[in-house]
Amino acid sequence: MKVKNRISSDLQLKNSKLYLLFTLSAMTAFAPLVTDMYLPCLPALTACFDTSASLVQLTVSTSMLGIAVGQLFFGPVSDKTGRRRPLFVSFILYLLSTAGCLFAQNIYLLIGFRLLQGLGAAGSIVISRSVATDLFKGKDLLAFLALIAAVQGIAPIVAPVAGGVLLLFTNWKGIFFFLGLLGLAVFGASTYLKESHPPHKRAKVPVIHIFRFFVPVMRNKLLMLYIALLSFSMAVMFAYIASSPFIFQEHYGVSPVAYSLFFAVNALALMVGNILSAKLKKPRRTLKRSVTGLFVCSLLTGVSLLSDASIVYFCLTLFLSLFFAGATFPISTNLALDLEEKYKGTASAVLGAGTFFVGGIVMPLSGLGNILHSTACTMIGSALIALLLLFVIRKTDKIKYNII
């Protein structure tokens, strides 16, 4: 036991916390950047490939599908082989598929390469969480996950703005070229990442059997409840991302520049919520308050949309909703992953896949019919489900919630 503890300690010393924070945060940001950065150029893609808007929109859905499925693959593989090798494979797949997107000659090829691009990006996000859980415990892990979650929460909000700025100087291919350069840079930085999952902790089964790891993970009722709670909390954010360009620019009539400023303010709400939640003691009590606050503020945001309230009221309630969402993400992630010791990579994969599966369902729902009404119903419904899941968790885990 002393030998194993020494090995774990030595692994932590091989990479500084600053390096780990920078590299793992950059890896985490890949998935939302791949999904959202090129959203502003969707109309240009419709004209370029002379196709329908629905087919162009499919390039977004397939990338999210790739991110969800890819995490279910790379997570268990990393439990068997260690973190470095599957990480490098995922980066190579990402870079090759990004090049394929650049040279796609028709919309169907682009859809296929976007699926592969999502699969490649998935490796970095699931392995970044696994590395964090390998090296840190308790409050250190919560603080680290909070910073990573802040990046993961902010990236999908900032990405469309960054894509819009890039379009001032280039076309849709320039955005994919930028994504390729970004991937190459993070790939280079990750080559210095030391192996965090030593051989004595790896799964001792043939590779073909590694997907059996899902069985014990998914039988862990409390773990799955926390993952569901996280997924529906994030669904509030996904609904906002999908509908905000239309609500701000078409309904409230703000300019693209003003819309970017609103994005920045809301990114700040997520970041502050993430950071504050990591500093508070008694995570279960904090989770109760953050999920309750998320529901109340999502309800107020929905009322503002249904009643066609002023933009000031809408922005205030939206800011508070995203603040409580940001506070919920790291705590629910930490409490979920703490429940699985043996198959952390697999648990991280299920967690990441769950959030993107729910997000992939929520985003089109928020645009059905009257976008104000559908967005209101989606946000309220998602927050309500998260609140109900919290009650189920508290009933399932009575002892800890009664004493903490």
Side-chain angles (χ1 to χ4, degrees):
M1 182 65 69
K2 290 182 178 179
V3 173
K4 291 182 179 180
N5 288 338
R6 187 174 67 251
I7 291 172
S8 179
S9 177
D10 290 342
L11 284 169
Q12 291 188 48
L13 294 174
K14 288 182 179 179
N15 286 129
S16 69
K17 282 190 176 181
L18 181 61
Y19 167 81
L20 287 169
L21 175 61
F22 171 79
T23 305
L24 298 184
S25 297
M27 287 162 54
T28 301
F30 253 122
L33 286 175
V34 167
T35 304
D36 300 336
M37 181 169 276
Y38 90 128
L39 291 178
C41 67
L42 291 185
L45 285 172
T46 305
C48 178
F49 290 114
D50 190 23
T51 187
S52 66
S54 59
L55 277 177
V56 171
Q57 185 66 31
L58 195 57
T59 63
V60 180
S61 302
T62 52
S63 67
M64 293 190 71
L65 176 63
I67 291 169
V69 173
Q71 291 183 77
L72 296 176
F73 173 77
F74 285 109
V77 168
S78 73
D79 280 338
K80 166 65 178 175
T81 65
R83 312 305 184 197
R84 279 171 57 88
R85 280 183 285 178
L87 177 63
F88 294 162
V89 170
S90 72
F91 270 118
I92 292 170
L93 176 60
Y94 171 83
L95 292 171
L96 291 175
S97 57
T98 301
C101 290
L102 275 168
F103 296 103
Q105 297 298 309
N106 58 62
I107 189 63
Y108 300 104
L109 282 175
L110 183 61
I111 290 170
F113 283 123
R114 283 286 288 171
L115 176 64
L116 294 175
Q117 193 182 38
L119 288 169
S124 65
I125 188 171
V126 68
I127 291 174
S128 66
R129 282 196 302 267
S130 299
V131 170
T133 55
D134 288 339
L135 299 178
F136 302 100
K137 301 292 181 184
K139 290 183 66 176
D140 287 340
L141 176 60
L142 179 57
F144 214 86
L145 288 175
L147 290 170
I148 292 177
V151 174
Q152 191 177 3
I154 292 169
I157 293 178
V158 174
V161 180
V165 172
L166 282 174
L167 281 179
L168 296 175
F169 308 98
T170 183
N171 57 17
W172 67 271
K173 289 190 175 184
I175 292 178
F176 281 107
F177 184 73
F178 175 81
L179 287 173
L181 289 179
L182 184 63
L184 193 60
V186 180
F187 183 23
S190 70
T191 58
Y192 296 97
L193 187 67
K194 304 301 181 182
E195 180 57 63
S196 64
H197 194 48
H200 70 270
K201 290 187 176 181
R202 296 175 191 172
K204 304 298 189 294
V205 296
V207 174
I208 196 171
H209 294 156
I210 59 177
F211 296 101
R212 293 180 181 177
F213 301 165
F214 285 109
V215 177
V217 169
M218 299 186 77
R219 282 180 177 172
N220 189 330
K221 180 180 178 181
L222 196 55
L223 169 64
M224 296 306 296
L225 285 170
Y226 275 117
I227 290 175
L229 186 150
L230 172 65
S231 299
F232 281 98
S233 298
M234 291 191 72
V236 175
M237 181 187 73
F238 280 119
Y240 156 70
I241 291 170
S243 60
S244 61
F246 305 98
I247 293 174
F248 277 107
Q249 297 187 58
E250 294 185 1
H251 179 68
Y252 287 113
V254 305
S255 68
V257 174
Y259 172 59
S260 299
L261 293 176
F262 284 120
F263 256 98
V265 171
N266 290 324
L268 179 63
L270 279 167
M271 182 173 64
V272 171
N274 271 275
I275 294 173
L276 287 181
S277 67
K279 294 183 178 296
L280 296 175
K281 298 179 180 180
K282 299 183 178 180
R284 289 172 178 81
R285 182 178 297 176
T286 303
L287 182 64
K288 174 186 175 182
R289 292 171 178 173
S290 65
V291 174
T292 303
L294 175 62
F295 171 71
V296 172
C297 294
S298 296
L299 181 61
L300 293 174
T301 303
V303 169
S304 72
L305 291 171
L306 293 171
S307 63
D308 195 15
S310 69
I311 190 172
V312 174
Y313 179 79
F314 170 67
C315 288
L316 177 61
T317 57
L318 180 62
F319 181 91
L320 293 173
S321 297
L322 293 174
F323 168 80
F324 284 112
T328 302
F329 299 161
I331 300 175
S332 52
T333 300
N334 184 44
L335 291 173
L337 296 181
D338 266 355
L339 293 168
E340 179 56 55
E341 287 295 328
K342 189 174 182 181
Y343 304 117
K344 287 187 179 293
T346 305
S348 180
V350 174
L351 184 147
T355 58
F356 277 93
F357 274 128
V358 174
I361 295 171
V362 162
M363 292 181 82
L365 287 178
S366 64
L368 293 176
N370 185 314
I371 197 166
L372 298 181
H373 297 171
S374 57
T375 300
C377 293
T378 303
M379 292 182 70
I380 294 171
S382 299
L384 177 60
I385 293 173
L387 184 63
L388 293 175
L389 285 166
L390 178 66
F391 289 139
V392 176
I393 289 171
R394 289 170 61 82
K395 185 177 180 180
T396 305
D397 200 15
K398 282 183 179 179
I399 295 176
K400 289 184 177 179
Y401 274 93
N402 284 337
I403 65 175
I404 296 180

